[in-house]
Amino acid sequence: MAKQRVLSGIQPTGRAHIGNYLGAFVNWVRDQSANDSIFLVVDLHGLTVENDRDSMGAATLDMAATLFAVGIDPGQATVVIQSHVPGHVQLGWVMECTATYGELSRMTQFKDKSKGLSKVRVGLFTYPALMAADILLYHADLVPVGDDQTQHLELARDLAIRFNNAYGETFTVPKAQRVAHGSRVMDLANPLQKMSKSSSSPQGIIFLSDSDDEIARKIARAKTDTFNELAYLPEDPERAGVTNLLEMLGALTGKAPEECAGEFSGYGQLKKALTEALVELLTPIKIRFELFQTDPAELARLLAQGADRANEIASDTVRVVYDRLGLVRSGG
Ligand code: TYM
């Protein structure tokens, strides 16, 4: 049976956190040998909001090194910096001309991210069209993402179907792939909000690069509740903090959150077990990340290899799409 093409991506705006790991990376790593995977560091998406040009390059390379550090094997999967492949922008424009204003206006992430900004970049609005292009460019079958990307993925599916209906079978219609627990890791300090790289305070976020002490401190301070018995009641917003801790521990240990709840008599014990599980997970990741810091040439080599492979696929797709649209070829 032919391998399934898996595609996913992460923005390099800020450091990767445990939400990225449990919601997305876990699936990326687990299935990489069974599938033909492409993982993108989407630096062009990073331009949709205020960003610092002096740190952009380093943040992009650090995110790529993080992907290898969490276990992406360059022998099995392809890691690509989005801006190294012009096809993203080329197909992105075609997707902007396939999507409608109404569709993009309904994107909840746009509403959240634009709230409170005095100047909203047009790219923030059209971002989901570029994300659709990221996926359709490689004919991805599966897209492993956290819950927050569901609406964007639905749009990518709709745009693929619309284009295929108008111009003939061109794109694979992609499917979302989700983890059982961990597809929405919440902020530790404010468990009604998802954990996010762009959150204003780092206190609620476990970064993959956090030291053991930082992990212990953040988990110790994580919001719980005033109920005395430990229970997994995910529907109750008053228990959102404990629900989040139990789901994280469940995702890290492979157990159901209910089972984790039954193992401890109090929040202190739960927090201790979660801290230990996080330290155990993150220690080897930090060591592998540091190895890349000492060998930037190796990272550059792997990324050049990724870009070559991605460009081959992407340039074929763009040529077919331009032909379907009736655009005239250069040189006749
Ligand atoms: P980004 O950079 O915000 O997040 C990368 C991945 O991590 C998941 N994630 C979470 N999962 C669980 N709990 C959380 N708190 C949490 N926060 C983030 C995200 O769902 C995502 O899977 N638009 C995308 C990047 C992108 C992309 C793509 C993804 C661009 N092109 C093509 C897939 C395919 C984004 O901003 O992810």
Side-chain angles (χ1 to χ4, degrees), residues 10-11 19-20 127 131 134 145-146 148-149 182-183 185 195 197:
I10 182 160
Q11 296 201 48
N20 301 129
Y127 168 118
M131 177 163 160
D134 298 339
V145 280
D148 58 337
Q149 298 301 319
S183 72
V185 176
M195 190 179 283
K197 292 188 226 83

Side-chain angles (χ1 to χ4, degrees), residues 186-198:
M186 309 308 280
D187 189 283
L188 300 173
N190 183 0
L192 294 174
Q193 254 176 32
K194 74 163 182 170
M195 190 179 283
S196 163
K197 292 188 226 83
S198 52

Side-chain angles (χ1 to χ4, degrees), residues 120-288:
V120 177
R121 298 183 183 185
V122 176
L124 187 64
F125 183 68
T126 58
Y127 168 118
L130 182 58
M131 177 163 160
D134 298 339
I135 298 167
L136 303 184
L137 195 54
Y138 300 101
H139 306 290
D141 300 291
L142 284 179
V143 185
V145 280
D147 253 6
D148 58 337
Q149 298 301 319
T150 304
Q151 203 187 18
H152 291 162
L153 199 76
E154 272 306 311
L155 178 75
R157 289 170 55 85
D158 289 347
L159 298 182
I161 293 168
R162 187 173 309 156
F163 191 98
N164 288 349
N165 287 341
Y167 302 104
E169 264 329 285
T170 307
F171 295 120
T172 304
V173 181
K175 285 199 191 70
Q177 187 193 26
R178 290 231 173 66
V179 290
H181 295 288
S183 72
R184 181 168 280 264
V185 176
M186 309 308 280
D187 189 283
L188 300 173
N190 183 0
L192 294 174
Q193 254 176 32
K194 74 163 182 170
M195 190 179 283
S196 163
K197 292 188 226 83
S198 52
S199 156
S200 53
S201 157
Q203 284 322 309
I205 309 172
I206 302 285
F207 293 107
L208 302 190
S209 55
D210 276 349
S211 68
D212 297 357
D213 283 351
E214 281 167 322
I215 297 169
R217 197 159 19 87
K218 289 177 184 177
I219 295 294
R221 287 196 195 149
K223 190 156 185 242
T224 49
D225 52 52
T226 52
F227 301 102
N228 280 325
E229 94 286 25
L230 188 55
Y232 179 60
L233 295 166
E235 306 306 328
D236 184 350
E238 298 211 18
R239 294 181 190 254
V242 171
T243 296
N244 190 35
L245 301 182
L246 287 168
E247 288 184 350
M248 264 196 268
L249 185 62
L252 288 164
T253 56
K255 293 181 187 165
E258 296 84 340
E259 194 184 341
C260 296
E263 284 177 1
F264 308 106
S265 55
Y267 297 154
Q269 280 183 359
L270 166 64
K271 287 183 164 183
K272 183 162 175 283
L274 180 57
T275 302
E276 282 167 7
L278 286 166
V279 168
E280 193 182 321
L281 170 79
L282 297 183
T283 302
I285 293 177
K286 284 183 281 189
I287 294 171
R288 286 195 293 264

Side-chain angles (χ1 to χ4, degrees), residues 85 87-88 137-138 309-319:
V85 181
H88 289 271
L137 195 54
Y138 300 101
R309 167 148 197 265
N311 267 309
E312 252 175 56
I313 307 169
S315 56
D316 273 359
T317 308
V318 169
R319 213 199 45 241

